[in-house]
Amino acid sequence: MIRVAGELMGTPLRALRRSTAWWAVALGVIVLVTVAFWPAFRGASGISEAIEQMPAGVVQAFGLEDFGTPAGFLRGNLYELLVPLLLIGAGVAFVNSQTASDETAGRLELVLAQPVSHRAVYLGRAAAALIGLTILVVVIVAVQFAADAVFDLAIDGSRLAATIALCGLLAALHAAAGYSIAGARARPALVLGIGIGGAIAGYVVAALFPLSDALEPWSHLSPWDWAFGHNPLAHTTDAWRYVVLAAPAAALIGLGTWLVGRRDVSAA
C-alpha cells in the first residue's frame, strides 16, 4: 500500500520537476532583484513624499503605505500582489497539468489500467502539486532571507515568514479550487479559468471594494483579505487566518477527489 501511494505521488512529482525548477528560478530571481533595489529606496524621501500625494484609497489598494520602510517596500513590490499571484499561477498550473490536461491527452489511461482507483490517482497528483508548491515557498523564504542579509534590509523574520506562508496557503486554496473543477470535469481551460480568474477577481474585491462605502463590507469575503488584510509584514498574524485558508483548500481537495470517483475518466 505504501509503495503504491509513493508511486502515485512519485510519478507526477517527476513530471513536475522541470516546471518546478523553472518556477523556482523565476521567483528566486524576482525576489533577489527586487531586494537589490532596497539600498536605492532606503532614505529616498522624495519617493515617499510622492506616494503621500496620491489619493489615500489608491495607496491602500496597491499596498504602498510606508513604502520607504522595509515592510512597506516588500509589501508594495512583492507581497501585496506579485508573489501571491505568481504562486497561484504555479499552483493552478501544476494541478491542471497533472489532472485535467493529462486526462484529456490520454496520459492517464495507462495509469488507470492498473488496479488503482480514479480517486487515488487524482489525490496522488494533488499531493504532488502541493509538494511542488511547497518547494516554491521554501525557495522564496531562502532567497528572501539571504537577500535581506546581503542588502541590509532589516525586517522581523517571523512576520516575513508568516507573510510568505500566507502567500503559499492562498495559492494552495486556488489550486484546490482548480482541482475540484478537474475532479468534476476534465476541462483544462475551465480549471485555469476558475483557478486564476478567481484569484484575480478576489484581488479586485480585496483591493478596490474598500474604496466604496457600500462595497467595503464585501471585501472581507475575499481570500486575499483573509491572508493580507491585516498587513502581515507589519503586524503579527492571527492563527485563524491560516485556518480559513487551509480548511477550504482541504475541503476542495476532498470534493474534487469525491467528484472524480463519480464519473468516467475521459479517453484521448
Short mmCIF file of all heavy atoms in Angstrom, two decimals, residues 90-150:
data_model
loop_
_atom_site.label_atom_id
_atom_site.label_comp_id
_atom_site.label_asym_id
_atom_site.label_seq_id
_atom_site.Cartn_x
_atom_site.Cartn_y
_atom_site.Cartn_z
N ALA A 90 1.40 29.22 -10.48
CA ALA A 90 2.18 27.98 -10.45
C ALA A 90 1.34 26.83 -9.90
O ALA A 90 1.31 25.73 -10.47
CB ALA A 90 3.44 28.17 -9.61
N GLY A 91 0.65 27.07 -8.78
CA GLY A 91 -0.14 26.01 -8.17
C GLY A 91 -1.25 25.52 -9.08
O GLY A 91 -1.47 24.30 -9.22
N VAL A 92 -1.96 26.43 -9.70
CA VAL A 92 -3.05 26.04 -10.61
C VAL A 92 -2.48 25.31 -11.83
O VAL A 92 -3.06 24.31 -12.29
CB VAL A 92 -3.85 27.27 -11.04
CG1 VAL A 92 -4.89 26.91 -12.11
CG2 VAL A 92 -4.56 27.90 -9.84
N ALA A 93 -1.34 25.78 -12.34
CA ALA A 93 -0.71 25.12 -13.49
C ALA A 93 -0.27 23.71 -13.14
O ALA A 93 -0.43 22.78 -13.94
CB ALA A 93 0.48 25.95 -13.98
N PHE A 94 0.29 23.53 -11.95
CA PHE A 94 0.70 22.19 -11.51
C PHE A 94 -0.50 21.25 -11.46
O PHE A 94 -0.45 20.12 -11.98
CB PHE A 94 1.35 22.25 -10.12
CG PHE A 94 2.71 22.91 -10.09
CD1 PHE A 94 3.29 23.24 -8.87
CD2 PHE A 94 3.39 23.20 -11.25
CE1 PHE A 94 4.54 23.84 -8.82
CE2 PHE A 94 4.64 23.81 -11.21
CZ PHE A 94 5.22 24.13 -9.99
N VAL A 95 -1.58 21.69 -10.83
CA VAL A 95 -2.77 20.86 -10.72
C VAL A 95 -3.35 20.55 -12.09
O VAL A 95 -3.69 19.41 -12.41
CB VAL A 95 -3.82 21.56 -9.83
CG1 VAL A 95 -5.20 20.93 -10.01
CG2 VAL A 95 -3.41 21.51 -8.37
N ASN A 96 -3.44 21.56 -12.93
CA ASN A 96 -4.03 21.39 -14.25
C ASN A 96 -3.24 20.40 -15.09
O ASN A 96 -3.81 19.52 -15.75
CB ASN A 96 -4.10 22.74 -14.95
CG ASN A 96 -4.82 22.65 -16.29
OD1 ASN A 96 -5.94 22.18 -16.39
ND2 ASN A 96 -4.15 23.10 -17.34
N SER A 97 -1.92 20.53 -15.08
CA SER A 97 -1.09 19.66 -15.92
C SER A 97 -1.18 18.20 -15.50
O SER A 97 -1.09 17.30 -16.33
CB SER A 97 0.37 20.12 -15.88
OG SER A 97 0.95 19.90 -14.60
N GLN A 98 -1.37 17.97 -14.19
CA GLN A 98 -1.38 16.60 -13.69
C GLN A 98 -2.76 15.97 -13.63
O GLN A 98 -2.88 14.76 -13.38
CB GLN A 98 -0.74 16.57 -12.30
CG GLN A 98 0.73 16.92 -12.29
CD GLN A 98 1.53 16.03 -13.23
OE1 GLN A 98 1.49 14.81 -13.15
NE2 GLN A 98 2.25 16.66 -14.16
N THR A 99 -3.80 16.74 -13.84
CA THR A 99 -5.15 16.19 -13.78
C THR A 99 -5.88 16.39 -15.11
O THR A 99 -5.87 15.49 -15.95
CB THR A 99 -5.94 16.83 -12.62
OG1 THR A 99 -5.96 18.26 -12.78
CG2 THR A 99 -5.32 16.49 -11.28
N ALA A 100 -6.48 17.53 -15.31
CA ALA A 100 -7.31 17.74 -16.50
C ALA A 100 -6.52 17.61 -17.80
O ALA A 100 -6.98 16.97 -18.75
CB ALA A 100 -7.98 19.11 -16.42
N SER A 101 -5.34 18.21 -17.85
CA SER A 101 -4.54 18.15 -19.09
C SER A 101 -4.10 16.73 -19.40
O SER A 101 -4.19 16.27 -20.55
CB SER A 101 -3.32 19.06 -18.98
OG SER A 101 -3.70 20.42 -18.99
N ASP A 102 -3.61 16.01 -18.39
CA ASP A 102 -3.20 14.62 -18.62
C ASP A 102 -4.38 13.74 -19.01
O ASP A 102 -4.25 12.85 -19.85
CB ASP A 102 -2.54 14.05 -17.35
CG ASP A 102 -1.02 14.25 -17.36
OD1 ASP A 102 -0.52 14.91 -18.29
OD2 ASP A 102 -0.36 13.75 -16.43
N GLU A 103 -5.53 13.99 -18.40
CA GLU A 103 -6.69 13.17 -18.72
C GLU A 103 -7.16 13.40 -20.14
O GLU A 103 -7.43 12.44 -20.88
CB GLU A 103 -7.82 13.46 -17.73
CG GLU A 103 -9.04 12.58 -17.94
CD GLU A 103 -10.12 12.80 -16.91
OE1 GLU A 103 -9.80 13.30 -15.80
OE2 GLU A 103 -11.29 12.46 -17.20
N THR A 104 -7.28 14.65 -20.56
CA THR A 104 -7.76 14.93 -21.92
C THR A 104 -6.76 14.49 -22.98
O THR A 104 -7.14 14.17 -24.10
CB THR A 104 -8.05 16.43 -22.10
OG1 THR A 104 -6.87 17.19 -21.77
CG2 THR A 104 -9.19 16.87 -21.19
N ALA A 105 -5.47 14.45 -22.62
CA ALA A 105 -4.45 14.00 -23.57
C ALA A 105 -4.31 12.48 -23.60
O ALA A 105 -3.56 11.94 -24.41
CB ALA A 105 -3.10 14.63 -23.21
N GLY A 106 -5.01 11.80 -22.70
CA GLY A 106 -4.95 10.35 -22.68
C GLY A 106 -3.79 9.76 -21.91
O GLY A 106 -3.56 8.55 -21.95
N ARG A 107 -3.07 10.61 -21.19
CA ARG A 107 -1.88 10.11 -20.48
C ARG A 107 -2.23 9.38 -19.18
O ARG A 107 -1.36 8.79 -18.56
CB ARG A 107 -0.92 11.27 -20.18
CG ARG A 107 -0.24 11.82 -21.43
CD ARG A 107 0.84 12.82 -21.08
NE ARG A 107 0.30 14.07 -20.59
CZ ARG A 107 0.00 15.11 -21.35
NH1 ARG A 107 0.18 15.04 -22.67
NH2 ARG A 107 -0.47 16.24 -20.84
N LEU A 108 -3.50 9.43 -18.77
CA LEU A 108 -3.90 8.72 -17.57
C LEU A 108 -4.40 7.30 -17.87
O LEU A 108 -4.63 6.52 -16.94
CB LEU A 108 -5.01 9.48 -16.83
CG LEU A 108 -4.61 10.77 -16.13
CD1 LEU A 108 -5.82 11.34 -15.39
CD2 LEU A 108 -3.47 10.54 -15.17
N GLU A 109 -4.57 6.96 -19.14
CA GLU A 109 -5.16 5.67 -19.49
C GLU A 109 -4.31 4.51 -18.99
O GLU A 109 -4.83 3.54 -18.42
CB GLU A 109 -5.37 5.58 -21.00
CG GLU A 109 -6.42 6.55 -21.52
CD GLU A 109 -6.60 6.45 -23.03
OE1 GLU A 109 -6.09 5.47 -23.61
OE2 GLU A 109 -7.23 7.35 -23.61
N LEU A 110 -3.00 4.59 -19.17
CA LEU A 110 -2.13 3.50 -18.73
C LEU A 110 -2.13 3.39 -17.20
O LEU A 110 -2.14 2.29 -16.65
CB LEU A 110 -0.71 3.73 -19.23
CG LEU A 110 0.32 2.64 -18.89
CD1 LEU A 110 -0.13 1.30 -19.47
CD2 LEU A 110 1.70 3.02 -19.43
N VAL A 111 -2.14 4.54 -16.52
CA VAL A 111 -2.17 4.53 -15.06
C VAL A 111 -3.46 3.89 -14.55
O VAL A 111 -3.45 3.05 -13.64
CB VAL A 111 -2.04 5.96 -14.50
CG1 VAL A 111 -2.12 5.95 -12.98
CG2 VAL A 111 -0.73 6.58 -14.95
N LEU A 112 -4.56 4.25 -15.16
CA LEU A 112 -5.86 3.76 -14.70
C LEU A 112 -6.11 2.32 -15.11
O LEU A 112 -7.07 1.69 -14.63
CB LEU A 112 -6.97 4.66 -15.25
CG LEU A 112 -6.96 6.09 -14.69
CD1 LEU A 112 -7.96 6.95 -15.41
CD2 LEU A 112 -7.25 6.07 -13.19
N ALA A 113 -5.25 1.78 -15.97
CA ALA A 113 -5.35 0.37 -16.32
C ALA A 113 -4.81 -0.51 -15.20
O ALA A 113 -5.05 -1.72 -15.17
CB ALA A 113 -4.58 0.09 -17.60
N GLN A 114 -4.10 0.10 -14.25
CA GLN A 114 -3.58 -0.61 -13.09
C GLN A 114 -4.68 -0.75 -12.03
O GLN A 114 -5.69 -0.05 -12.07
CB GLN A 114 -2.37 0.14 -12.52
CG GLN A 114 -1.30 0.49 -13.54
CD GLN A 114 -0.75 -0.74 -14.25
OE1 GLN A 114 -0.43 -1.73 -13.62
NE2 GLN A 114 -0.65 -0.64 -15.57
N PRO A 115 -4.48 -1.65 -11.07
CA PRO A 115 -5.50 -1.85 -10.03
C PRO A 115 -5.50 -0.74 -8.98
O PRO A 115 -5.23 -0.95 -7.80
CB PRO A 115 -5.11 -3.20 -9.42
CG PRO A 115 -3.63 -3.27 -9.61
CD PRO A 115 -3.37 -2.62 -10.95
N VAL A 116 -5.79 0.49 -9.43
CA VAL A 116 -5.89 1.64 -8.53
C VAL A 116 -7.16 2.40 -8.89
O VAL A 116 -7.61 2.38 -10.03
CB VAL A 116 -4.67 2.58 -8.64
CG1 VAL A 116 -3.42 1.89 -8.10
CG2 VAL A 116 -4.46 3.04 -10.08
N SER A 117 -7.72 3.09 -7.92
CA SER A 117 -8.96 3.82 -8.16
C SER A 117 -8.68 5.18 -8.79
O SER A 117 -7.58 5.72 -8.68
CB SER A 117 -9.72 4.03 -6.85
OG SER A 117 -9.00 4.92 -6.01
N HIS A 118 -9.70 5.71 -9.47
CA HIS A 118 -9.59 7.05 -10.04
C HIS A 118 -9.27 8.07 -8.95
O HIS A 118 -8.47 8.99 -9.15
CB HIS A 118 -10.90 7.43 -10.74
CG HIS A 118 -11.24 6.55 -11.89
ND1 HIS A 118 -12.44 6.64 -12.57
CD2 HIS A 118 -10.55 5.55 -12.50
CE1 HIS A 118 -12.47 5.75 -13.54
NE2 HIS A 118 -11.35 5.06 -13.51
N ARG A 119 -9.92 7.90 -7.82
CA ARG A 119 -9.73 8.85 -6.73
C ARG A 119 -8.30 8.83 -6.21
O ARG A 119 -7.72 9.88 -5.92
CB ARG A 119 -10.71 8.56 -5.60
CG ARG A 119 -12.15 8.95 -5.95
CD ARG A 119 -13.14 8.48 -4.91
NE ARG A 119 -14.49 8.96 -5.23
CZ ARG A 119 -15.61 8.47 -4.73
NH1 ARG A 119 -15.55 7.45 -3.87
NH2 ARG A 119 -16.79 8.98 -5.05
N ALA A 120 -7.72 7.65 -6.09
CA ALA A 120 -6.34 7.55 -5.60
C ALA A 120 -5.37 8.21 -6.57
O ALA A 120 -4.42 8.89 -6.16
CB ALA A 120 -5.97 6.09 -5.40
N VAL A 121 -5.61 8.03 -7.87
CA VAL A 121 -4.74 8.65 -8.88
C VAL A 121 -4.81 10.17 -8.78
O VAL A 121 -3.78 10.85 -8.75
CB VAL A 121 -5.14 8.17 -10.29
CG1 VAL A 121 -4.40 8.99 -11.36
CG2 VAL A 121 -4.82 6.69 -10.46
N TYR A 122 -6.01 10.68 -8.72
CA TYR A 122 -6.17 12.14 -8.65
C TYR A 122 -5.62 12.70 -7.34
O TYR A 122 -4.97 13.75 -7.32
CB TYR A 122 -7.65 12.52 -8.82
CG TYR A 122 -7.98 13.06 -10.19
CD1 TYR A 122 -7.81 12.28 -11.32
CD2 TYR A 122 -8.44 14.35 -10.34
CE1 TYR A 122 -8.10 12.77 -12.58
CE2 TYR A 122 -8.74 14.87 -11.60
CZ TYR A 122 -8.56 14.07 -12.72
OH TYR A 122 -8.84 14.57 -13.97
N LEU A 123 -5.87 12.01 -6.25
CA LEU A 123 -5.38 12.50 -4.96
C LEU A 123 -3.86 12.50 -4.92
O LEU A 123 -3.25 13.44 -4.37
CB LEU A 123 -5.93 11.62 -3.83
CG LEU A 123 -5.69 12.12 -2.41
CD1 LEU A 123 -6.28 13.52 -2.21
CD2 LEU A 123 -6.28 11.14 -1.40
N GLY A 124 -3.23 11.50 -5.50
CA GLY A 124 -1.77 11.49 -5.57
C GLY A 124 -1.23 12.65 -6.38
O GLY A 124 -0.20 13.24 -6.03
N ARG A 125 -1.94 13.02 -7.42
CA ARG A 125 -1.50 14.14 -8.24
C ARG A 125 -1.74 15.48 -7.56
O ARG A 125 -0.96 16.42 -7.74
CB ARG A 125 -2.19 14.06 -9.61
CG ARG A 125 -1.60 12.93 -10.43
CD ARG A 125 -2.37 12.52 -11.65
NE ARG A 125 -1.61 11.45 -12.28
CZ ARG A 125 -0.88 11.59 -13.39
NH1 ARG A 125 -0.84 12.76 -14.00
NH2 ARG A 125 -0.19 10.59 -13.87
N ALA A 126 -2.79 15.57 -6.77
CA ALA A 126 -3.00 16.78 -5.97
C ALA A 126 -1.88 16.93 -4.95
O ALA A 126 -1.35 18.04 -4.75
CB ALA A 126 -4.35 16.71 -5.26
N ALA A 127 -1.50 15.81 -4.31
CA ALA A 127 -0.41 15.86 -3.33
C ALA A 127 0.90 16.28 -4.00
O ALA A 127 1.66 17.08 -3.44
CB ALA A 127 -0.25 14.49 -2.67
N ALA A 128 1.16 15.78 -5.20
CA ALA A 128 2.38 16.15 -5.92
C ALA A 128 2.39 17.64 -6.25
O ALA A 128 3.43 18.31 -6.11
CB ALA A 128 2.50 15.32 -7.20
N ALA A 129 1.25 18.16 -6.67
CA ALA A 129 1.16 19.60 -6.99
C ALA A 129 1.41 20.44 -5.75
O ALA A 129 2.11 21.46 -5.80
CB ALA A 129 -0.20 19.92 -7.58
N LEU A 130 0.87 20.02 -4.60
CA LEU A 130 1.07 20.77 -3.36
C LEU A 130 2.53 20.68 -2.89
O LEU A 130 3.06 21.64 -2.34
CB LEU A 130 0.13 20.26 -2.28
CG LEU A 130 -1.35 20.56 -2.50
CD1 LEU A 130 -2.19 19.95 -1.40
CD2 LEU A 130 -1.60 22.07 -2.59
N ILE A 131 3.16 19.55 -3.12
CA ILE A 131 4.58 19.43 -2.78
C ILE A 131 5.40 20.38 -3.65
O ILE A 131 6.32 21.06 -3.17
CB ILE A 131 5.06 17.98 -2.95
CG1 ILE A 131 4.44 17.09 -1.87
CG2 ILE A 131 6.59 17.90 -2.88
CD1 ILE A 131 4.68 15.62 -2.07
N GLY A 132 5.08 20.43 -4.95
CA GLY A 132 5.78 21.37 -5.83
C GLY A 132 5.59 22.80 -5.38
O GLY A 132 6.54 23.60 -5.38
N LEU A 133 4.38 23.15 -4.96
CA LEU A 133 4.09 24.49 -4.47
C LEU A 133 4.87 24.78 -3.18
O LEU A 133 5.39 25.88 -3.00
CB LEU A 133 2.59 24.64 -4.23
CG LEU A 133 2.07 26.01 -3.81
CD1 LEU A 133 2.40 27.07 -4.86
CD2 LEU A 133 0.56 25.96 -3.58
N THR A 134 4.96 23.78 -2.31
CA THR A 134 5.71 23.95 -1.07
C THR A 134 7.18 24.21 -1.35
O THR A 134 7.84 25.03 -0.68
CB THR A 134 5.57 22.69 -0.19
OG1 THR A 134 4.18 22.48 0.11
CG2 THR A 134 6.34 22.84 1.12
N ILE A 135 7.72 23.53 -2.35
CA ILE A 135 9.12 23.76 -2.73
C ILE A 135 9.33 25.21 -3.15
O ILE A 135 10.33 25.85 -2.78
CB ILE A 135 9.52 22.80 -3.87
CG1 ILE A 135 9.58 21.36 -3.34
CG2 ILE A 135 10.87 23.20 -4.47
CD1 ILE A 135 9.77 20.32 -4.43
N LEU A 136 8.38 25.76 -3.90
CA LEU A 136 8.50 27.16 -4.32
C LEU A 136 8.48 28.10 -3.13
O LEU A 136 9.23 29.08 -3.08
CB LEU A 136 7.36 27.51 -5.29
CG LEU A 136 7.30 26.74 -6.61
CD1 LEU A 136 6.20 27.28 -7.49
CD2 LEU A 136 8.64 26.80 -7.34
N VAL A 137 7.62 27.81 -2.16
CA VAL A 137 7.55 28.65 -0.96
C VAL A 137 8.87 28.60 -0.20
O VAL A 137 9.39 29.63 0.26
CB VAL A 137 6.39 28.19 -0.05
CG1 VAL A 137 6.44 28.90 1.30
CG2 VAL A 137 5.05 28.46 -0.73
N VAL A 138 9.46 27.41 -0.08
CA VAL A 138 10.75 27.27 0.61
C VAL A 138 11.83 28.05 -0.11
O VAL A 138 12.68 28.71 0.52
CB VAL A 138 11.13 25.78 0.72
CG1 VAL A 138 12.56 25.63 1.24
CG2 VAL A 138 10.16 25.05 1.65
N VAL A 139 11.82 28.00 -1.44
CA VAL A 139 12.81 28.76 -2.23
C VAL A 139 12.66 30.25 -1.98
O VAL A 139 13.66 30.97 -1.78
CB VAL A 139 12.66 28.43 -3.72
CG1 VAL A 139 13.48 29.42 -4.57
CG2 VAL A 139 13.11 27.01 -4.00
N ILE A 140 11.44 30.74 -1.97
CA ILE A 140 11.20 32.17 -1.73
C ILE A 140 11.72 32.56 -0.35
O ILE A 140 12.38 33.60 -0.20
CB ILE A 140 9.71 32.50 -1.87
CG1 ILE A 140 9.26 32.35 -3.31
CG2 ILE A 140 9.42 33.93 -1.39
CD1 ILE A 140 7.77 32.47 -3.51
N VAL A 141 11.42 31.75 0.65
CA VAL A 141 11.90 32.05 2.01
C VAL A 141 13.42 32.11 2.03
O VAL A 141 14.02 33.05 2.59
CB VAL A 141 11.39 30.99 3.01
CG1 VAL A 141 12.08 31.15 4.36
CG2 VAL A 141 9.88 31.09 3.18
N ALA A 142 14.07 31.12 1.44
CA ALA A 142 15.53 31.07 1.46
C ALA A 142 16.15 32.26 0.75
O ALA A 142 17.09 32.91 1.26
CB ALA A 142 16.01 29.76 0.82
N VAL A 143 15.64 32.57 -0.44
CA VAL A 143 16.19 33.70 -1.21
C VAL A 143 15.91 35.02 -0.50
O VAL A 143 16.78 35.90 -0.44
CB VAL A 143 15.61 33.70 -2.63
CG1 VAL A 143 16.06 34.95 -3.39
CG2 VAL A 143 16.04 32.45 -3.39
N GLN A 144 14.70 35.17 0.03
CA GLN A 144 14.34 36.42 0.71
C GLN A 144 15.26 36.68 1.90
O GLN A 144 15.79 37.79 2.05
CB GLN A 144 12.89 36.35 1.16
CG GLN A 144 12.40 37.62 1.85
CD GLN A 144 12.30 38.80 0.92
OE1 GLN A 144 11.46 38.82 0.03
NE2 GLN A 144 13.14 39.81 1.12
N PHE A 145 15.45 35.71 2.75
CA PHE A 145 16.28 35.91 3.94
C PHE A 145 17.74 36.13 3.55
O PHE A 145 18.43 36.96 4.17
CB PHE A 145 16.14 34.73 4.89
CG PHE A 145 14.95 34.82 5.79
CD1 PHE A 145 13.69 34.42 5.35
CD2 PHE A 145 15.06 35.32 7.07
CE1 PHE A 145 12.58 34.50 6.17
CE2 PHE A 145 13.95 35.42 7.91
CZ PHE A 145 12.71 35.01 7.46
N ALA A 146 18.21 35.41 2.54
CA ALA A 146 19.59 35.62 2.10
C ALA A 146 19.78 37.00 1.50
O ALA A 146 20.77 37.69 1.78
CB ALA A 146 19.97 34.54 1.08
N ALA A 147 18.82 37.43 0.68
CA ALA A 147 18.91 38.76 0.06
C ALA A 147 18.81 39.86 1.11
O ALA A 147 19.50 40.88 1.02
CB ALA A 147 17.80 38.92 -0.98
N ASP A 148 17.96 39.67 2.11
CA ASP A 148 17.85 40.66 3.18
C ASP A 148 19.19 40.87 3.88
O ASP A 148 19.58 42.00 4.20
CB ASP A 148 16.81 40.21 4.21
CG ASP A 148 15.39 40.25 3.67
OD1 ASP A 148 15.20 40.81 2.57
OD2 ASP A 148 14.49 39.73 4.34
N ALA A 149 19.90 39.77 4.10
CA ALA A 149 21.20 39.86 4.77
C ALA A 149 22.24 40.56 3.89
O ALA A 149 23.02 41.38 4.37
CB ALA A 149 21.69 38.46 5.14
N VAL A 150 22.21 40.25 2.60
CA VAL A 150 23.20 40.82 1.68
C VAL A 150 22.97 42.32 1.49
O VAL A 150 23.92 43.12 1.49
CB VAL A 150 23.14 40.10 0.32
CG1 VAL A 150 24.00 40.83 -0.71
CG2 VAL A 150 23.62 38.66 0.47
#
